[in-house]
Amino acid sequence: MEQLKLFTYIAVFGSFAMYFAIAWMARAKSTSDFYVAGGGITPMQNGMAIGADWMSAASFISMAGLIAFLGYGGSVFLMGWTGGYVLLAMLLAPYMRKHGKFTVPEFIADRYYSKTARIVAVACLIIASLTYIIGQMKGVGVAFSRFLEVEYDNGLYIGMGVVWVYAVLGGMKGITYTQIAQYCVLIFAYTIPAVFISLQLTGNPIPQLGLGSTLADGSGMYLLDKLDLVVTDLGFKEYTTDNMGGTLNMFAYTLSLMIGTAGLPHVIMRFFTVPSVKAARSSAGYALVFIALLYTVAPAVGAMARLNLMNTIEPVAGQNLEYEARPQWFKDWEKTGLLKYEDKNGDGKIQYTASKETNEMVKVDRDIMVLANPAIANLPNWVIALVAAGGIAAALSTAAGLLLAISSSVSHDLMKGVLTPDISEKSELLAGRVVMTISILVAGYLGLNPPGFAAGTVALAFGLAASSIFPALMMGIFSKRMNSQAAIWGMCSGIGVTMLYVFQHKGIMFIQGTDFLGSLDPNWFFGISPNAFGAVGAIVNFAVAFAILQFTDDAPKEIQDMVDNFRSPVGEVASAHDH
């Protein structure tokens, strides 16, 4: 145990020291450095940074945990988040890079020739990004609480402090180089345990192939068949066929995640850090490769984690584990409050079933599965420590990117763009850092009582981006006629409908006790869950915008010419650092 603690401290604090050193060496000295890293990042570097930005706590910590418990239904996260990246790379990033502004609201202000449009875009961006950060803070709290052996709340406070130091100090330049280091840490941390566990269970060192292989115990049974058998014996739904709330909900959930992905400002901002449109396209290609390295392993990690958990609690069919004989990993996670056992029948054994009456595992937080997986599988201590460092790197990298998106939208778009256009560069930089600090405090407070597990909370953020920012960007690029009034009403309608639906089920700003319908299936619109409602919000946004366009004038000719210019593959590329 002491050896594990030592390895964990070396891995976690060694990686922190590296992040802080990189942030200090690459610290922002100008607003161009702070917002777009001076536009001097290479496509491959940018691809790795996008990969780290992308593989948040939701991807690293929570997604495989969701797949572990939802089975086939959890595939919406894989399809939605990967498919959305293709949409972003094909339909938005090159055009916005050619236009060459710092931020998404700045693009919307130019395209819709309106300060009001810019303010609405800032509001939508802050709402979506803050919701997203709550999910990251949940991941930070889970990782720190386990590996520093403190309560979840204290783990969250420590994580907030670490994010503050290097995000506020480095800006986009520091964050980019830090994220490249974090990508390397988290991809090794994710794949090495998966290789070990796949070898252990199936004899195949490639997790993606191990998932479809027979077990190494000589039974000749396929891993997924065994998992189906184990979970259905205990009353759970079959792992390989269980969908999430019906086909329509699965479709809406996937669509919401896809278009939400393409509307997320902290990822779009990454394409302004490269010198050209060609480089923006290349970095999208690199990013897809780097993301696929983790996303193709996640289903195997989820399935193997679930099987190992079940086999620990019920090593032989019908024979449950004695609570006093529970393994060390079980005791460690109990200390965090994220794993709880209650002896309902007084026999001293652990019953884990689908029935609320007989189930004694009263809390198994889905977000612990990836971090607990190496210990459940009895892997070496250095592997467990590596996963700790990877989980923390994933949460920190995305939190930093989101904070930058919020700070730039307030200091650059709201203050410099609307309220105080004469603000000096030094004051703007200071304002950005102050906004970042306030955002960390707000997100930390909301992260103390998150509206659900990390990936579910993040799905809400994607829904908010899907219903507001994505349609405005798509109409701005592909409809020359689209005018400011139509776009503003579209954004307000889309995010308004989505927030109303989400808050009435989840509570206003996710504060418990403020929900006014309760998250009850009968109250869902056509059976669509709040996490999947962004797709409906986006349809409302498009419908309202095009309806208003019929009764108002088209966009002015100079705006239509500007759209022609950034849609053309030839011509000058505006530089983000000229603005």
Side-chain angles (χ1 to χ4, degrees):
M1 189 59 206
E2 289 307 313
Q3 186 194 36
L4 173 58
K5 220 181 241 184
L6 177 65
F7 276 135
T8 304
Y9 286 158
I10 290 170
V12 173
F13 292 113
S15 58
F16 282 175
M18 177 171 67
Y19 305 151
F20 288 155
I22 292 168
W24 176 257
M25 287 188 290
R27 64 192 181 279
K29 296 180 178 70
S30 68
T31 50
S32 175
D33 280 349
F34 192 76
Y35 296 132
V36 292
I41 305 297
T42 68
M44 188 171 178
Q45 287 173 333
N46 200 40
M48 290 179 96
I50 291 168
D53 223 344
W54 199 245
M55 285 179 286
S56 60
S59 291
F60 187 98
I61 296 174
S62 194
M63 184 172 63
L66 276 175
I67 294 169
F69 287 91
L70 294 172
Y72 167 70
S75 62
V76 297
F77 294 95
L78 289 171
M79 295 185 293
W81 284 337
T82 315
Y85 201 78
V86 177
L87 280 185
L88 176 62
M90 301 284 287
L91 299 179
L92 298 181
Y95 304 104
M96 294 182 67
R97 176 62 195 90
K98 187 171 180 193
H99 185 61
K101 291 296 176 77
F102 273 153
T103 65
V104 172
E106 196 168 15
F107 172 84
I108 286 175
D110 277 7
R111 168 58 187 86
Y112 294 117
Y113 50 96
S114 162
K115 285 187 176 179
T116 307
R118 189 172 191 161
I119 293 167
V120 171
V122 167
C124 294
L125 184 152
I126 290 172
I127 292 165
S129 298
L130 260 182
T131 307
Y132 199 155
I133 294 182
I134 299 167
Q136 303 315 308
M137 289 301 179
K138 169 80 193 294
V140 169
V142 169
F144 276 96
S145 64
R146 164 63 189 90
F147 294 108
L148 300 180
E149 295 187 2
V150 293
E151 282 289 316
Y152 168 79
D153 290 8
N154 293 333
L156 181 60
Y157 297 139
I158 295 165
M160 286 164 63
V162 173
V163 174
W164 184 85
V165 170
Y166 81 80
V168 171
L169 178 74
M172 181 61 100
K173 193 173 180 184
I175 286 170
T176 298
Y177 289 112
T178 307
Q179 282 177 336
I180 292 167
Q182 284 167 335
Y183 176 80
C184 297
V185 170
L186 69 87
I187 201 67
F188 277 109
Y190 204 78
T191 50
I192 288 174
V195 168
F196 271 103
I197 293 168
S198 182
L199 259 175
Q200 203 179 62
L201 288 174
T202 67
N204 194 321
I206 302 170
Q208 294 94 324
L209 300 179
L211 181 64
S213 300
T214 53
L215 291 165
D217 59 8
S219 65
M221 198 174 207
Y222 283 94
L223 184 145
L224 286 171
D225 288 341
K226 172 74 172 176
L227 185 53
D228 275 345
L229 186 68
V230 169
V231 296
T232 51
D233 279 353
L234 296 172
F236 294 99
K237 291 179 180 175
E238 194 175 61
Y239 188 84
T240 52
T241 58
D242 181 24
N243 73 9
M244 198 160 58
T247 306
L248 179 61
N249 189 55
M250 286 272 285
F251 176 79
Y253 213 132
T254 307
L255 183 61
S256 180
L257 291 175
M258 278 181 74
I259 61 178
T261 294
L264 275 175
H266 75 288
V267 176
I268 294 172
M269 281 175 73
R270 283 245 148 261
F271 292 98
F272 303 142
T273 65
V274 290
S276 66
V277 174
K278 186 181 178 185
R281 288 186 188 277
S282 300
S283 53
Y286 278 116
L288 274 170
V289 172
F290 293 133
I291 289 164
L293 289 175
L294 188 142
Y295 271 37
T296 54
V297 175
V301 172
M304 292 171 187
R306 180 79 178 275
L307 185 60
N308 278 332
L309 176 70
M310 295 303 200
N311 286 342
T312 301
I313 292 172
E314 195 174 315
V316 180
Q319 291 183 21
N320 296 95
L321 180 73
E322 295 270 354
Y323 180 67
E324 289 305 318
R326 69 196 187 282
Q328 185 61 45
W329 69 263
F330 197 111
K331 296 173 185 173
D332 291 338
W333 282 103
E334 279 185 305
K335 289 176 194 167
T336 65
L338 298 169
L339 193 67
K340 286 179 184 171
Y341 162 76
E342 188 182 301
D343 193 1
K344 291 181 179 177
N345 60 7
D347 68 350
K349 292 183 177 180
I350 304 171
Q351 269 85 32
Y352 185 27
T353 68
S355 163
K356 279 188 177 176
E357 286 72 38
T358 58
N359 178 37
E360 297 179 339
M361 291 300 298
V362 290
K363 185 169 187 181
V364 182
D365 194 299
R366 294 169 179 182
D367 291 344
I368 75 172
M369 289 309 295
V370 169
L371 298 177
N373 202 14
I376 297 172
N378 289 315
L379 296 188
N381 285 337
W382 67 267
V383 179
I384 299 171
L386 185 63
V387 172
I392 291 167
L396 296 180
S397 63
T398 306
L402 288 162
L403 288 166
L404 193 69
I406 292 172
S407 98
S408 62
S409 67
V410 174
S411 61
H412 188 71
D413 289 303
L414 208 54
M415 291 176 66
K416 188 173 179 66
V418 179
L419 303 174
T420 52
D422 299 326
I423 191 170
S424 69
E425 189 170 300
K426 190 176 178 184
S427 301
E428 189 185 339
L429 208 52
L430 176 65
R433 287 175 165 144
V434 170
V435 170
M436 230 183 228
T437 305
I438 295 167
S439 302
I440 291 173
L441 294 173
V442 172
Y445 171 73
L446 294 171
L448 290 171
N449 293 294
F453 41 90
T457 308
V458 165
L460 294 173
F462 279 76
L464 294 167
S467 63
S468 57
I469 296 168
F470 174 78
L473 296 178
M474 284 293 288
M475 292 184 293
I477 292 166
F478 296 104
S479 170
K480 290 197 295 185
R481 294 177 53 223
M482 187 54 61
N483 61 35
S484 58
Q485 300 102 300
I488 290 165
W489 278 107
M491 281 192 284
C492 292
S493 305
I495 200 164
V497 164
T498 307
M499 283 173 66
L500 179 68
Y501 190 77
V502 168
F503 289 170
Q504 72 186 7
H505 289 294
K506 299 271 185 182
I508 296 163
M509 275 321 286
F510 317 116
I511 295 166
Q512 291 174 348
T514 58
D515 49 320
F516 41 99
L517 269 187
S519 190
L520 302 172
D521 294 14
N523 294 325
W524 286 358
F525 177 77
F526 286 108
I528 297 173
S529 66
N531 295 25
F533 201 74
V536 179
I539 293 168
V540 170
N541 187 329
F542 280 118
V544 167
F546 280 108
I548 288 175
L549 185 60
Q550 305 311 310
F551 302 102
T552 49
D553 295 332
D554 290 356
K557 185 174 183 310
E558 63 270 19
I559 298 298
Q560 298 197 28
D561 291 344
M562 180 178 78
V563 174
D564 275 334
N565 178 52
F566 64 64
R567 273 170 30 182
S568 166
V570 295
E572 286 299 307
V573 178
S575 169
H577 7 145
D578 294 339
H579 298 286

Short mmCIF file of all heavy atoms in Angstrom, two decimals, residues 40-60:
data_model
loop_
_atom_site.label_atom_id
_atom_site.label_comp_id
_atom_site.label_asym_id
_atom_site.label_seq_id
_atom_site.Cartn_x
_atom_site.Cartn_y
_atom_site.Cartn_z
N GLY A 40 1.05 30.43 -33.86
CA GLY A 40 2.26 29.76 -34.34
C GLY A 40 2.35 28.29 -34.01
O GLY A 40 3.44 27.71 -33.98
N ILE A 41 1.24 27.62 -33.77
CA ILE A 41 1.25 26.20 -33.40
C ILE A 41 1.20 25.34 -34.67
O ILE A 41 0.44 25.64 -35.60
CB ILE A 41 0.02 25.86 -32.50
CG1 ILE A 41 -0.01 26.78 -31.27
CG2 ILE A 41 0.02 24.41 -32.07
CD1 ILE A 41 1.18 26.66 -30.34
N THR A 42 2.00 24.27 -34.75
CA THR A 42 1.98 23.41 -35.94
C THR A 42 0.75 22.50 -35.92
O THR A 42 0.19 22.24 -34.84
CB THR A 42 3.25 22.52 -36.01
OG1 THR A 42 3.19 21.58 -34.92
CG2 THR A 42 4.52 23.34 -35.89
N PRO A 43 0.33 21.98 -37.10
CA PRO A 43 -0.86 21.12 -37.14
C PRO A 43 -0.77 19.90 -36.22
O PRO A 43 -1.75 19.54 -35.56
CB PRO A 43 -0.95 20.70 -38.61
CG PRO A 43 -0.28 21.80 -39.35
CD PRO A 43 0.82 22.28 -38.46
N MET A 44 0.40 19.26 -36.17
CA MET A 44 0.52 18.06 -35.33
C MET A 44 0.42 18.42 -33.85
O MET A 44 -0.26 17.75 -33.07
CB MET A 44 1.83 17.32 -35.61
CG MET A 44 1.90 15.97 -34.92
SD MET A 44 3.32 15.04 -35.47
CE MET A 44 3.15 13.57 -34.45
N GLN A 45 1.09 19.51 -33.47
CA GLN A 45 1.00 19.97 -32.07
C GLN A 45 -0.45 20.32 -31.74
O GLN A 45 -0.97 19.97 -30.68
CB GLN A 45 1.87 21.22 -31.87
CG GLN A 45 3.37 20.96 -31.85
CD GLN A 45 4.17 22.26 -31.81
OE1 GLN A 45 3.71 23.30 -32.28
NE2 GLN A 45 5.36 22.20 -31.26
N ASN A 46 -1.10 21.01 -32.68
CA ASN A 46 -2.49 21.41 -32.45
C ASN A 46 -3.40 20.19 -32.36
O ASN A 46 -4.33 20.15 -31.55
CB ASN A 46 -2.96 22.35 -33.58
CG ASN A 46 -4.17 23.16 -33.18
OD1 ASN A 46 -4.26 23.64 -32.05
ND2 ASN A 46 -5.11 23.31 -34.08
N GLY A 47 -3.12 19.18 -33.18
CA GLY A 47 -3.90 17.95 -33.14
C GLY A 47 -3.81 17.28 -31.78
O GLY A 47 -4.81 16.79 -31.24
N MET A 48 -2.60 17.26 -31.20
CA MET A 48 -2.43 16.66 -29.86
C MET A 48 -3.13 17.50 -28.80
O MET A 48 -3.77 16.97 -27.88
CB MET A 48 -0.94 16.53 -29.53
CG MET A 48 -0.23 15.48 -30.33
SD MET A 48 1.50 15.37 -29.92
CE MET A 48 1.49 14.04 -28.76
N ALA A 49 -3.02 18.82 -28.93
CA ALA A 49 -3.67 19.70 -27.96
C ALA A 49 -5.20 19.57 -28.04
O ALA A 49 -5.88 19.53 -27.02
CB ALA A 49 -3.25 21.16 -28.21
N ILE A 50 -5.71 19.44 -29.29
CA ILE A 50 -7.16 19.23 -29.46
C ILE A 50 -7.55 17.90 -28.83
O ILE A 50 -8.57 17.78 -28.15
CB ILE A 50 -7.55 19.24 -30.96
CG1 ILE A 50 -7.41 20.65 -31.54
CG2 ILE A 50 -8.99 18.75 -31.15
CD1 ILE A 50 -7.49 20.71 -33.06
N GLY A 51 -6.70 16.88 -29.03
CA GLY A 51 -6.96 15.56 -28.44
C GLY A 51 -7.09 15.65 -26.93
O GLY A 51 -8.00 15.08 -26.33
N ALA A 52 -6.17 16.40 -26.30
CA ALA A 52 -6.22 16.54 -24.83
C ALA A 52 -7.43 17.37 -24.41
O ALA A 52 -8.10 17.05 -23.42
CB ALA A 52 -4.93 17.21 -24.34
N ASP A 53 -7.71 18.43 -25.18
CA ASP A 53 -8.88 19.27 -24.91
C ASP A 53 -10.15 18.42 -24.98
O ASP A 53 -11.07 18.55 -24.18
CB ASP A 53 -8.96 20.35 -26.00
CG ASP A 53 -9.31 21.70 -25.42
OD1 ASP A 53 -9.77 21.74 -24.28
OD2 ASP A 53 -9.12 22.71 -26.11
N TRP A 54 -10.17 17.55 -25.98
CA TRP A 54 -11.32 16.72 -26.27
C TRP A 54 -11.51 15.65 -25.22
O TRP A 54 -12.61 15.37 -24.76
CB TRP A 54 -11.07 16.04 -27.61
CG TRP A 54 -12.30 15.56 -28.20
CD1 TRP A 54 -12.64 14.27 -28.44
CD2 TRP A 54 -13.39 16.36 -28.61
NE1 TRP A 54 -13.88 14.22 -28.98
CE2 TRP A 54 -14.36 15.49 -29.09
CE3 TRP A 54 -13.65 17.73 -28.61
CZ2 TRP A 54 -15.58 15.94 -29.57
CZ3 TRP A 54 -14.85 18.17 -29.08
CH2 TRP A 54 -15.79 17.28 -29.56
N MET A 55 -10.38 14.98 -24.87
CA MET A 55 -10.48 13.85 -23.93
C MET A 55 -10.50 14.39 -22.52
O MET A 55 -9.53 14.39 -21.79
CB MET A 55 -9.36 12.87 -24.19
CG MET A 55 -9.68 12.10 -25.44
SD MET A 55 -8.48 10.92 -25.94
CE MET A 55 -7.20 11.91 -26.57
N SER A 56 -11.66 14.87 -22.19
CA SER A 56 -11.89 15.50 -20.90
C SER A 56 -12.08 14.43 -19.85
O SER A 56 -11.95 13.24 -20.10
CB SER A 56 -13.16 16.34 -21.01
OG SER A 56 -14.24 15.47 -21.35
N ALA A 57 -12.43 14.87 -18.65
CA ALA A 57 -12.77 13.92 -17.59
C ALA A 57 -13.93 13.04 -18.05
O ALA A 57 -14.02 11.87 -17.71
CB ALA A 57 -13.17 14.69 -16.33
N ALA A 58 -14.83 13.62 -18.86
CA ALA A 58 -15.98 12.85 -19.34
C ALA A 58 -15.51 11.69 -20.22
O ALA A 58 -16.02 10.58 -20.12
CB ALA A 58 -16.92 13.75 -20.13
N SER A 59 -14.53 11.94 -21.10
CA SER A 59 -14.03 10.89 -21.98
C SER A 59 -13.17 9.89 -21.22
O SER A 59 -13.33 8.68 -21.34
CB SER A 59 -13.20 11.48 -23.13
OG SER A 59 -14.02 12.19 -24.01
N PHE A 60 -12.22 10.41 -20.45
CA PHE A 60 -11.23 9.54 -19.80
C PHE A 60 -11.82 8.80 -18.61
O PHE A 60 -11.73 7.58 -18.50
CB PHE A 60 -10.03 10.37 -19.32
CG PHE A 60 -8.89 9.54 -18.80
CD1 PHE A 60 -7.81 9.25 -19.62
CD2 PHE A 60 -8.88 9.03 -17.51
CE1 PHE A 60 -6.76 8.46 -19.16
CE2 PHE A 60 -7.84 8.26 -17.04
CZ PHE A 60 -6.77 7.98 -17.87
#
